[in-house]
Amino acid sequence: ALKRWVFDPLDPPSFENGQVEFERNSAQIDVKSASTTSPLLFGYTIEELAYICRTSQGEIRHAVKNRVLGAEDALLIPNDFDNTAESSNKRRYGMLSEEGRQTVSMAIMAALLESDLKLAWKFDNEEESSSSGTETSALMAEIRMQWHQLEAEEEFFTSVSSDRNDEQHQACQSSELSTEASQPASSERQSQSQSQFFTPSQFPRKGFSSSPAERKLADEIIWHCLRPIIHHESQQSSCDKDSAPPTLRLSPDQVAKLAIHNVFLHGTPKSMSKSEIDSSSGGNTSTPLALGAGSTIWWEEEELIEAWSLRIPYMGRSYEPRVELLKGIAISEVRNDFIRKEGGKRDDFSVDSQTKKRRWQYFPEEGLSLIPSLRIQSMLAMKAAWTVEEALPYLEKFVSGKVHGGVLNLLATHAKSVTVTEKREDGQDLSAIKYVALPK
């Protein structure tokens, strides 16, 4: 239900007295009190969610308050038009767009790496009250500043690229255009420059400025993306997840997970060939890789760990990222490096058991369907065979009680089990049960 209202901080809706300036579509929303032509508010209230999900308001309120039972990604819609509305009954919820989440996550990592703030961390062996926290409002201000800088840079690169392409196109059309005649067109093009997430027609929207410097990233959006990487104190575990505490401490492992998302999405392996880089960047090497371009790239584990370590901020003590944290974020495979025998023929290869290398590919569970059958289809399309252990981080949210048994039942329902014999590193045969797509 929440996916019907996707809030994009890069292209926010226009509000007039708290109402979105378009008419309700009866095919898109099914709310008892709604009419098909009345103005509407952006997002759903707890009451509306309870009606749509055919459950009690108490259950929906519990799920949203604690971000559980499918409400993990619920976004409190920014309430700029009524900042005094403190009642939870007036709060409205939707989801954050994927582009918005990625850009805010980049800003968070930039702030953690570059900020002069003294960051507070909560390590596993520390007591909860052993140190004071970082001031939440100060950290959020740093993140907002980084977001504005990142968006301004994106618009600059896109604007320069667009202007160059237009100038080349004009030169091909007519080499006789005078400088005076071309200046108005150039001025018009500059006014239509945009980031990679916009089209020119989207700019003239009421209440929204096309200038990143004048665009404010709402506190609700920052807190939504910041909340998963902080340590929630025991006295805060039952608190309202919509409200940010005055101080916070960061979770090292959660920050490391956020960092590896950025590596996959915006990093490039050093071993990647120039042709692959050109393909990922659309042939334009003067601009950064497009958002998400790294998602189809395989990373050698050693190179991935090195790039990952460079994106983790200083924590006041030694911290090394662990491959265990990649569960639910990336999939892996082991392949052999073929070494030609010394003095051997051109096509004579042997496999050195010590050259088996693991590599990783980005496959975040957050981007998959919330319908178990469709999620399993996507998993099997990405990787032909899965063990129960590999599938656990992708399917555990759908089961309760004994997680391993619940995931096993899901796979048995929507996939086919096969027995696979593989060679271990010591040369011994290893039999394993894996699940593959059902025959059509």
Side-chain angles (χ1 to χ4, degrees):
L2 292 171
K3 280 190 173 181
R4 297 175 186 174
W5 294 107
V6 178
F7 188 95
D8 188 354
L10 298 161
D11 187 16
S14 298
F15 292 103
E16 182 68 28
N17 298 323
Q19 295 177 340
V20 185
E21 294 187 302
F22 53 82
E23 294 182 345
R24 188 187 301 268
N25 183 347
S26 59
Q28 180 187 17
I29 180 173
D30 179 20
V31 181
K32 178 171 56 176
S33 60
S35 69
T36 58
T37 59
S38 61
L40 69 154
L41 297 174
F42 194 94
Y44 289 136
T45 63
I46 295 295
E47 180 182 7
E48 291 170 338
L49 284 171
Y51 177 79
I52 293 170
C53 298
R54 304 294 191 267
T55 187
S56 69
Q57 292 186 37
E59 289 178 322
I60 293 294
R61 187 172 288 106
H62 169 78
V64 172
K65 176 182 177 181
N66 298 282
R67 295 303 193 272
V68 294
L69 304 176
E72 294 88 346
D73 296 325
L75 168 70
L76 175 64
I77 300 301
N79 203 12
D80 294 337
F81 50 82
D82 186 8
N83 291 323
T84 62
E86 297 295 336
S87 172
S88 60
N89 293 329
K90 296 182 181 179
R91 296 175 182 175
R92 310 190 75 86
Y93 297 89
M95 291 189 70
L96 182 63
S97 68
E98 181 62 17
E99 293 88 350
R101 183 187 67 81
Q102 290 182 14
T103 56
V104 177
S105 296
M106 286 177 62
I108 291 174
M109 289 309 305
L112 297 181
L113 288 167
E114 302 174 13
S115 173
D116 293 330
L117 293 174
K118 184 178 180 181
L119 301 176
W121 302 86
K122 171 60 176 72
F123 291 89
D124 293 337
N125 57 350
E126 279 185 349
E127 304 222 345
E128 292 191 349
S129 59
S130 62
S131 66
S132 59
T134 301
E135 185 179 349
T136 305
S137 59
L139 179 56
M140 292 175 69
E142 289 277 352
I143 293 169
R144 181 179 292 108
M145 181 186 69
Q146 291 289 343
W147 186 83
H148 284 298
Q149 291 179 353
L150 288 170
E151 280 308 297
E153 182 179 349
E154 287 290 344
E155 292 197 7
F156 170 77
F157 277 117
T158 309
S159 174
V160 171
S161 176
S162 176
D163 286 348
R164 286 177 178 174
N165 290 338
D166 287 348
E167 288 169 3
Q168 291 175 357
H169 179 67
Q170 280 193 345
C172 292
Q173 278 189 321
S174 175
S175 60
E176 298 179 357
L177 288 176
S178 65
T179 304
E180 291 78 7
S182 63
Q183 283 178 348
S186 177
S187 175
E188 181 181 354
R189 287 193 303 274
Q190 290 173 359
S191 67
Q192 292 181 344
S193 62
Q194 76 265 18
S195 75
Q196 59 184 322
F197 304 107
F198 290 100
T199 60
S201 61
Q202 291 175 310
F203 276 117
R205 300 187 63 176
K206 187 172 182 179
F208 176 68
S209 169
S210 62
S211 170
E214 299 175 7
R215 189 186 317 153
K216 181 182 177 182
L217 183 63
D219 287 345
E220 292 89 343
I221 304 297
I222 300 175
W223 174 241
H224 178 79
C225 297
L226 187 60
R227 183 178 59 237
I229 68 171
I230 72 168
H231 170 74
H232 297 275
E233 309 289 352
S234 57
Q235 64 269 25
Q236 296 175 346
S237 59
S238 60
C239 294
D240 190 347
K241 295 294 191 298
D242 290 335
S243 304
T247 61
L248 56 81
R249 288 199 288 169
L250 298 163
S251 168
D253 283 353
Q254 296 304 319
V255 171
K257 288 182 179 180
L258 185 61
I260 195 60
H261 279 286
N262 278 266
V263 172
F264 278 119
L265 286 168
H266 307 287
T268 306
K270 294 178 182 178
S271 57
M272 193 175 178
S273 67
K274 186 177 183 302
S275 61
E276 291 173 315
I277 294 177
D278 291 342
S279 175
S280 298
S281 61
N284 189 353
T285 57
S286 63
T287 62
L289 289 179
L291 190 65
S295 59
T296 59
I297 296 172
W298 283 97
W299 285 76
E300 300 294 340
E301 184 170 284
E302 182 178 349
E303 191 173 7
L304 179 64
I305 296 295
E306 180 183 356
W308 190 5
S309 300
L310 293 175
R311 297 211 181 205
I312 294 179
Y314 177 66
M315 300 181 181
R317 63 172 67 179
S318 176
Y319 179 86
E320 295 293 334
R322 310 182 307 279
V323 293
E324 291 81 6
L325 299 177
L326 294 173
K327 293 179 179 179
I329 298 175
I331 56 176
S332 67
E333 67 177 19
V334 177
R335 65 174 186 171
N336 296 317
D337 273 1
F338 292 89
I339 309 298
R340 185 178 290 114
K341 292 180 180 178
E342 186 176 353
K345 297 180 180 179
R346 182 187 181 105
D347 297 328
D348 186 10
F349 290 89
S350 65
V351 179
D352 183 350
S353 62
Q354 300 303 314
T355 63
K356 288 180 178 290
K357 291 186 177 181
R358 183 173 294 275
R359 62 178 190 165
W360 296 84
Q361 187 178 36
Y362 191 49
F363 190 56
E365 69 89 12
E366 296 96 330
L368 300 180
S369 172
L370 292 176
I371 301 175
S373 60
L374 297 180
R375 176 169 289 218
I376 292 174
Q377 286 181 20
S378 298
M379 291 166 59
L380 293 172
M382 189 71 174
K383 184 178 178 180
W386 293 71
T387 64
V388 175
E389 288 71 22
E390 291 170 338
L392 272 174
Y394 292 90
L395 300 175
E396 60 185 355
K397 66 167 54 178
F398 299 109
V399 300
S400 57
K402 295 183 179 180
V403 177
H404 189 281
V407 170
L408 180 61
N409 290 335
L410 278 175
L411 290 172
T413 302
H414 302 290
K416 175 185 177 182
S417 64
V418 295
T419 301
V420 179
T421 302
E422 299 174 333
K423 286 284 186 181
R424 300 192 308 187
E425 292 187 5
D426 59 6
Q428 298 294 321
D429 290 339
L430 175 66
S431 295
I433 297 177
K434 294 191 176 184
Y435 289 84
V436 300
L438 294 169
K440 295 182 180 181

